[in-house]
Amino acid sequence: MTRVLSGVQPSGVLHLGNYLGAVRGWVTDQRSHEAFFCVVDLHSLTLDQDPRLLAGRTLDAAAGLLAAGLDPEDCTLFVQSHVAAHPRLAWLLECTATFGELRRMTQFKDKGGNSETVRAGLFTYPALMAADILLYDADRVPVGDDQRQHLELTRTVAARFNHRYGQTFVVPEAAVPDVAARVMDLQEPTRKMSKSVGSPLGTIDILDTPDDVARKVRKAVTDTEGQVRYDPVTKPGVSNLLDLLGAARCEDPIAVAARYGDYGSLKRDVVEALVELLQPLQERYAVLSADPYQIEQILAAGAARAATVADATLDRAMRATGFLVPPKGFAP
Ligand code: TYM
């Protein structure tokens, strides 16, 4: 069975971009693949994190994933920092990727790559992401459009390592959805929806109440043309709404556009579709979040399962690199 791996940062409960761009696909993938999904808490440290909030946000993210439909019977769900092989393999991959490759990453440049005070971890982040993927011999990595470049780098690094040290890693493929691969901010529709940047009005959280959703969609920036057409370049706001409606109703956004004349009726239907989409997630979240201990148990079992696979791959990579392998029973 082919393997799938993907991850999400613990920026709290998921936003609509995470859900439509990635997590909804994970729910399908878990049934047809051997699937590993992680909350990548180590990655979150590339930006400032309040130590009093990080653990709670990690649990919230896990609850969000379970509410979205991940099932611990069908997939392995774990927290990245619980599996020690991740930062260990990341070091080998930092020594495989080049400075020039990491410097060209657009996410690094966007998040302040020119600043002297930017964290070194933000620069080496793609090597840690490559480790997340390669440790599980993942064939397929379901992600939103913004992660394509990181996936390309992962492929380059895996192939280079294999070439240098002999066949060690599976070279993975990115799986990006056809619709809503890049959900845009409702207030600034030329920028992707994100919790770490942008105004709260621009981002829809999967736990937003129907009133919140209605307010945000009603205030979503469109344009003065007044005509519904799907054209992400000249009409980014309207096209984003069409993408949302298309994704929520599993329809092609161009076909959706043909049914609407004015922006008001489009917005009304976007609200209705999103409220309907989110309601079952919110009901499951309410049940799950009432029992954080159960989530911790799921994550602990997931980390144990993940570590078995990850440790074997790390061992293979360490041997291939030529490191002195410690005697059996040695626990570092
Ligand atoms: P993160 O936490 O920013 O986002 C998690 C997933 O959600 C997708 N996504 C979006 N999709 C569509 N529209 C948006 N506005 C939007 N915002 C986010 C992302 O593409 C991603 O698939 N580097 C990764 C986390 C990561 C990872 C990995 C992913 C770490 N290790 C290994 C895959 C495999 C990130 O920061 O995603």
Side-chain angles (χ1 to χ4, degrees):
M1 209 197 258
T2 49
R3 286 254 177 93
V4 165
L5 174 128
S6 204
V8 60
Q9 296 204 41
S11 323
V13 186
L14 314 173
H15 60 70
L16 203 55
N18 298 137
Y19 179 62
L20 294 176
V23 176
R24 191 162 67 158
W26 305 0
V27 176
T28 317
D29 281 343
Q30 69 180 342
R31 302 198 189 102
S32 45
H33 299 76
E34 192 178 350
F36 294 84
F37 299 114
C38 53
V39 180
V40 291
D41 54 347
L42 295 172
H43 274 101
S44 72
L45 216 56
T46 53
L47 300 176
D48 199 22
Q49 296 295 333
D50 184 338
R52 291 163 303 182
L53 302 182
L54 182 57
R57 289 200 167 138
T58 303
L59 266 184
D60 284 347
L65 293 175
L66 292 165
L70 290 190
D71 181 344
E73 298 286 317
D74 287 333
C75 71
T76 299
L77 176 63
F78 65 101
V79 175
Q80 182 190 35
S81 68
H82 295 179
V83 181
H86 289 240
R88 294 180 71 189
L89 182 63
W91 176 248
L92 300 196
L93 301 180
E94 278 173 41
C95 297
T96 308
T98 65
F99 178 74
E101 284 164 346
L102 294 175
R103 197 177 42 181
R104 280 194 289 278
M105 293 293 110
T106 49
Q107 283 213 342
F108 173 64
K109 290 193 263 183
D110 291 350
K111 287 185 177 168
N114 279 331
S115 151
E116 281 290 305
T117 54
V118 75
R119 296 183 182 191
L122 191 66
F123 183 65
T124 56
Y125 169 118
L128 180 58
M129 177 162 163
D132 301 338
I133 297 166
L134 300 181
L135 279 171
Y136 298 91
D137 291 333
D139 307 279
R140 174 185 166 88
V141 185
V143 282
D145 185 65
D146 62 331
Q147 298 300 318
R148 273 184 203 273
Q149 198 188 26
H150 289 156
L151 252 296
E152 261 323 298
L153 182 67
T154 302
R155 289 168 56 80
T156 303
V157 165
R160 185 176 301 144
F161 192 101
N162 287 346
H163 180 70
R164 196 176 280 167
Y165 300 113
Q167 181 58 40
T168 307
F169 298 126
V170 171
V171 180
E173 300 271 353
V176 177
D178 294 333
V179 184
R182 185 175 281 265
V183 175
M184 307 309 270
D185 186 285
L186 296 175
Q187 288 297 306
E188 281 181 69
T190 49
R191 235 209 18 236
K192 72 166 183 172
M193 187 179 281
S194 157
K195 265 200 183 154
S196 52
V197 215
S199 78
L201 258 188
T203 305
I204 294 183
D205 198 286
I206 63 161
L207 296 185
D208 276 352
T209 62
D211 283 349
D212 289 335
V213 174
R215 189 166 46 90
K216 291 178 183 181
V217 172
R218 226 180 292 123
K219 294 201 165 155
V221 169
T222 51
D223 54 59
T224 51
E225 192 195 42
Q227 216 180 29
V228 177
R229 275 190 301 118
Y230 187 74
D231 182 349
V233 177
T234 61
K235 295 175 74 69
V238 172
S239 302
N240 193 36
L241 293 173
L242 290 166
D243 265 334
L244 290 176
L245 188 51
R249 300 242 159 105
C250 298
E251 279 184 83
D252 174 22
I254 298 175
V256 173
R259 290 203 300 270
Y260 291 92
D262 65 297
Y263 298 165
S265 54
L266 172 63
K267 285 185 167 182
R268 260 195 310 280
D269 282 4
V270 171
V271 172
E272 193 186 291
L274 293 182
V275 167
E276 210 172 278
L277 179 79
L278 297 179
Q279 192 196 359
L281 277 72
Q282 296 179 351
E283 285 170 6
R284 284 195 293 268
Y285 185 87
V287 175
L288 285 156
S289 60
D291 189 0
Y293 179 71
Q294 190 206 349
I295 301 173
E296 287 181 54
Q297 294 297 105
I298 291 171
L299 294 173
R305 259 201 318 267
T308 314
V309 177
D311 289 349
T313 313
L314 177 66
D315 185 65
R316 205 163 71 220
M318 296 291 276
R319 285 174 194 273
T321 311
F323 283 105
L324 176 66
V325 176
K328 270 215 166 337
F330 172 87

